[in-house]
Amino acid sequence: MLGKKLVTAQKRGETRALCLGLGMVACSMMMYFFIGITIVPFYTKSVWTTETVCKVLKANIKDKVFCPNNEGSEDEEIFPYPCLQVWVNLTASGQEVMLYQTEDTLERNPKCSYVPDKLENSKEVKAQIETIASNFKKYQTFPCYYDPGGTQTNVILSRLYPSKGLLFAFLWPTLMFTGGCLIIVLVKISQYVSVLSAWQ
């Protein structure tokens, strides 16, 4: 009687462990799919792939411009902010080009190098942009990214999804997938050993 209870408990434990392993594999596949339709297209779409050195030529703050947070946004989501324009000397080609913070900055407003997040206090926005402009004037040389194909003549300060970020995004689903497969393999080995012991 006790042996039957032990066997039943063992089978329940194996079933739960097997369900856990399959659930981990399924979740990792969903994460792979999510990363594949969100992050990967932005990474492959970006043409600013080569890193070089940029030297600041001028950093000016122009009159206020209006910025919509998203395309097709309502009027209340459009807010004015000082337009910072940073021009740099591209070391790779020696050209004078405009610098943008990221790829998204160019899409949101091609006239400005930096687009702030929506803040209710306009003084905070102004102070933030002035601080960024002073940092550019202080640190004259810094790494930046340009388009080696020449389709984009401007440069960006940082990529939204660099190679390291993409690898880090794939790290967690890979660990989950590996852990799930390992659990499934261990359960199958345990079942095989149990069957072999009972046969002997």
Side-chain angles (χ1 to χ4, degrees), residues 65-80 118 120:
V65 296
F66 289 89
C67 172
N69 281 345
N70 295 301
E71 293 183 1
S73 59
E74 298 179 359
D75 291 339
E76 60 266 17
E77 294 183 352
I78 299 176
F79 64 100
K118 185 177 180 182
E120 298 295 335

Side-chain angles (χ1 to χ4, degrees), residues 99-110:
L99 174 74
Y100 295 94
Q101 184 185 13
T102 61
E103 300 96 328
D104 185 55
T105 308
L106 179 62
E107 293 182 3
R108 293 177 66 183
N109 191 350

Side-chain angles (χ1 to χ4, degrees), residues 5 16 77 197:
K5 289 183 178 180
R16 291 173 182 173
E77 294 183 352
S197 299

Side-chain angles (χ1 to χ4, degrees), residues 164-194:
K164 291 182 180 179
L166 190 66
L167 291 176
F168 185 76
F170 277 107
L171 174 64
W172 296 111
T174 302
L175 291 176
M176 184 178 292
F177 179 80
T178 305
C181 291
L182 185 61
I183 291 174
I184 294 173
V185 170
L186 291 176
V187 170
K188 290 301 181 181
I189 292 174
S190 176
Q191 290 176 345
Y192 175 75
V193 171
S194 299

Side-chain angles (χ1 to χ4, degrees), residues 30-183:
M30 292 176 63
M31 292 173 68
Y32 278 128
F33 177 75
F34 180 76
I35 294 172
I37 63 174
T38 55
I39 299 178
V40 173
F42 284 106
Y43 176 80
T44 56
K45 183 182 175 182
S46 178
V47 295
W48 296 271
T49 55
T50 306
E51 184 175 351
T52 185
V53 177
C54 288
K55 184 177 181 181
V56 176
L57 297 176
K58 53 185 176 181
N60 301 325
I61 298 178
K62 302 250 178 189
D63 295 334
K64 287 187 177 182
V65 296
F66 289 89
C67 172
N69 281 345
N70 295 301
E71 293 183 1
S73 59
E74 298 179 359
D75 291 339
E76 60 266 17
E77 294 183 352
I78 299 176
F79 64 100
Y81 64 94
C83 182
L84 172 64
Q85 292 183 344
V86 180
W87 293 87
V88 297
N89 184 13
L90 187 60
T91 305
S93 61
Q95 295 177 330
E96 181 180 339
V97 295
M98 189 168 177
L99 174 74
Y100 295 94
Q101 184 185 13
T102 61
E103 300 96 328
D104 185 55
T105 308
L106 179 62
E107 293 182 3
R108 293 177 66 183
N109 191 350
K111 295 181 180 179
C112 303
S113 298
Y114 174 75
V115 177
D117 295 328
K118 185 177 180 182
L119 297 174
E120 298 295 335
N121 193 342
S122 59
K123 292 183 179 179
E124 292 182 7
V125 176
K126 183 179 179 181
Q128 184 183 31
I129 292 177
E130 288 178 350
T131 302
I132 294 172
S134 63
N135 287 335
F136 276 118
K137 293 176 181 178
K138 182 179 180 181
Y139 303 100
Q140 292 284 313
T141 306
F142 50 86
C144 59
Y145 295 89
Y146 75 101
D147 174 20
T151 55
Q152 292 286 346
T153 56
N154 42 56
V155 295
I156 60 173
L157 181 62
S158 59
R159 300 183 66 184
L160 281 174
Y161 300 105
S163 301
K164 291 182 180 179
L166 190 66
L167 291 176
F168 185 76
F170 277 107
L171 174 64
W172 296 111
T174 302
L175 291 176
M176 184 178 292
F177 179 80
T178 305
C181 291
L182 185 61
I183 291 174

